[in-house]
Amino acid sequence: MRRAPPSLRLRLSADNLVAASGGCFSAAGDRTFAMPGMVLFGRRWAIASDDLVFPGFFELVVRVLWWIGILTLYLMHRGKLDCAGGALLSSYLIVLMILLAVVICTVSAIMCVSMRGTICNPGPRKSMSKLLYIRLALFFPEMVWASLGAAWVADGVQCDRTVVNGIIATVVVSWIIIAATVVSIIIVFDPLGGKMAPYSSAGPSHLDSHDSSQLLNGLKTAATSVWETRIKLLCCCIGKDDHTRVAFSSTAELFSTYFSDTDLVPSDIAAGLALLHQQQDNIRNNQEPAQVVSHAPGSSQEADLDAELENCHHYMQFAAAAYGWPLYIYRNPLTGLCRIGGDCCRSRTTDYDLVGSDQLNCHFGSILHTTGLQYRDFIHVSFHDKVYELPFIVALDHRKESVVVAVRGTMSLQDVLTDLSAESEVLDVECEVQDRLAHKGISQAARYVYRRLINDGILSQAFSVAPEYRLVIVGHSLGGGAAALLATMLRAAYPQVRCYAFSPPRGLWSKALHEYSQSFIVSLVLGKDVIPRLSVTNLEDLKRRILRVVAHCNKPKYKILLHGLWYELFGGNPNFPTELDGGDQEVLTQPLLGEQSLLTHWSPAYSFSSDSPLDSSPKYPPLYPPGRIIHLQEEGASGRFGCCSAAQYSAKWSHEAEFSKILIGPKMLTDHMPDILMRALDSLVSDRAACVSCPAQGVSGVDVA
């Protein structure tokens, strides 16, 4: 296979190569690291030479069945081709069978070659580019022959109808395969793949030169432009106001910064995640039982946990209600529509504000059923949704004697753009904290809700009705992060404010603000939920771990993916090898390449030492979650995807450091769903209430950080 251009490789001196790859040289004496990204026609593609096993197998099955069908058709109906135009159709079938046989042989060779080597060792697959050129060349006679077959059938050949229908089917299948191939080429096309082709002769001395610096800056600028175009196409239905344009640019810069310095294709990332999950489970299984702390949590700490869990259980209903009717229907698929259907069609005059969206009555009907409140208990309901502008509701909670502000989490493309505006800005808030950096998108969203609450007099109206009530702000996911920032903004005016943030993002604000918020914010996290572990710093750490585990695996990618799929679905032994065995190195035609071979240039955020901290970009400094954290963990075995409701949960106070790494697992996404979180809270609160007379059981799940 051809070597990638300099934008996709690192040229190092002999000494550096030995140090970087543990003393390994290329068998051919070439001191240039090869990259996983495949290079064809002078440009890189978003596919590797070991990605063709499964597509090749699928095409091989289709081609073989197709060839058998054509052969059967020809042998069974050969005598019926003695008709006008029959000789042409007979020739068509014979040539098509020969062409298919050649294609089958070529696809078989591609599939076998793609099985060789490892992700970082493409040496055994060096013939792949030639095979792909042959395979692509065979498409031209296929297209010509399919066109001729269509023309002959269109001429109205007077032959047996079965024969004609069979030939029509072969023509249709031919064009379907050709169209599928064209779509596949479009999918794996990398717009940046040819940017560095003119510099293919650049040597190692150019890595630190002024020209190389300009080259890398130009590549990053081009990558940002490409990502911005992609995002605009994806979000074409969103308006083009100033906030949206800023969000497009911020998101594009984030993606280009994160993805531009590695040569990983999507399948490499999938293989790395599969290996990380197994490695993570293997480490956990082999760990010695943790030493029990000599002192048990005090009764006041246990009582505080119980009280906060009960508050979380209560206020989670408001956070869920802020999502409106979609979540309610999702949680109640059989009866939900019947329950709120009347509200959707009903129009009534109310004393509260109802703003935005086309299904306001449906939203409000679901809010009533979720919270159990009355119409008169709501002060303001807004489903106005734009970039940096989140929907929220304000209600009077007479049970807890509180004015509740519930901010909605991510539910639209506008919300996603708010999430992805991940650079930091200084939070404009009245407090004694000096370092007030916060996530820009969430900060802007919280500022919008703050202006609405204060400038529009919404909170003044609520407290004029219930002046003795306290202010409580809640939200889930993006809404949880916005709720934490909003509570901090309002604390100067409302010193007794409390905030409950459910599954908030980790990358929210500075360490100083995290510590400042301990006294009035409680965050709740379920299991392996990825969002409370998600920040730019943690993503860089995940990328570093993927690079390491991929570089140290001596198995071909297709085996990694097959074993990973089986492990995710059915579990089993996580001891899939992630390190080279000494004896296996001899069978490789080219030694395992180091982790550096997966970098297109030195990433400022990448460290080759697993223990060394990541250098943070000024635009993306390390950020932390809000407040004290309650961690709910599953104790019972409820299936790998949480589809069984028999799970039992324990709760403990946790330190933010416990969420400093992204954990891989089948529940890393499902644990974030609000309905799963509500189910876990229901189970936990009911179990703890039932065991209130069993102190020995009640203390075991509590750990105070």
Side-chain angles (χ1 to χ4, degrees), residues 96-389:
L96 184 58
M97 284 189 290
I98 296 174
L99 189 58
L100 278 176
V102 176
V103 172
I104 288 171
C105 292
T106 306
V107 172
S108 299
I110 290 174
M111 184 177 166
C112 291
V113 171
S114 187
M115 290 179 173
R116 300 174 183 171
T118 64
I119 294 177
C120 294
N121 177 31
R125 303 188 297 272
K126 59 186 177 182
S127 60
M128 179 61 74
S129 58
K130 297 177 182 178
L131 290 172
L132 286 177
Y133 287 137
I134 295 173
R135 178 66 191 92
L136 292 173
L138 288 173
F139 274 108
F140 291 102
E142 275 196 287
M143 292 179 64
V144 172
W145 212 241
S147 301
L148 289 176
W152 289 336
V153 171
D155 284 341
V157 178
Q158 301 300 319
C159 288
D160 183 78
R161 194 62 192 170
T162 303
V163 177
V164 175
N165 288 339
I167 294 176
I168 291 175
T170 63
V171 172
V172 171
V173 171
S174 297
W175 284 110
I176 289 176
I177 291 179
I178 292 171
T181 303
V182 173
V183 172
S184 300
I185 291 174
I186 294 173
I187 292 174
V188 301
F189 177 78
D190 185 354
L192 299 174
K195 290 289 182 182
M196 308 301 291
Y199 300 89
S200 57
S201 61
S205 61
H206 288 266
L207 275 175
D208 297 323
S209 68
H210 180 262
D211 292 340
S212 289
S213 177
Q214 288 185 327
L215 194 65
L216 297 178
N217 289 335
L219 179 62
K220 184 175 179 181
T221 301
T224 303
S225 177
V226 168
W227 276 109
E228 187 165 354
T229 301
R230 290 171 176 170
I231 295 167
K232 287 180 179 178
L233 289 175
L234 181 64
C235 306
C236 58
C237 57
I238 298 179
K240 300 297 188 293
D241 57 17
D242 291 339
H243 282 171
T244 304
R245 284 190 286 270
V246 170
F248 283 159
S249 299
S250 299
T251 305
E253 188 165 355
L254 173 65
F255 282 174
S256 64
T257 299
Y258 186 72
F259 291 109
S260 64
D261 61 350
T262 60
D263 190 41
L264 295 174
V265 298
S267 61
D268 297 332
I269 298 174
L273 292 174
L275 289 171
L276 277 180
H277 183 205
Q278 296 167 64
Q279 185 186 67
Q280 166 189 299
D281 288 355
N282 191 34
I283 292 173
R284 187 184 68 243
N285 294 341
N286 292 332
Q287 278 181 341
E288 295 292 334
Q291 294 293 328
V292 179
V293 181
S294 58
H295 63 279
S299 58
S300 61
Q301 297 168 334
E302 170 71 2
D304 182 43
L305 179 63
D306 282 334
E308 294 297 6
L309 280 173
E310 199 281 328
N311 287 333
C312 288
H313 180 248
H314 176 76
Y315 288 116
M316 181 61 202
Q317 308 297 323
F318 291 87
Y323 283 99
W325 67 264
L327 179 60
Y328 185 80
I329 297 294
Y330 177 76
R331 291 180 59 213
N332 304 276
L334 299 179
T335 61
L337 189 59
C338 297
R339 292 178 180 176
I340 67 173
D343 294 301
C344 293
C345 302
R346 185 181 305 144
S347 62
R348 51 166 61 90
T349 57
T350 58
D351 296 331
Y352 52 82
D353 295 326
L354 203 56
V355 179
S357 181
D358 295 328
Q359 299 90 25
L360 289 175
N361 289 320
C362 293
H363 284 309
F364 195 67
S366 68
I367 292 172
L368 291 174
H369 283 89
T370 302
T371 61
L373 300 182
Q374 303 297 318
Y375 287 97
R376 61 179 179 274
D377 296 329
F378 288 87
I379 304 298
H380 185 86
V381 178
S382 171
F383 279 90
H384 168 79
D385 188 15
K386 293 179 67 176
V387 177
Y388 304 152
E389 298 177 5

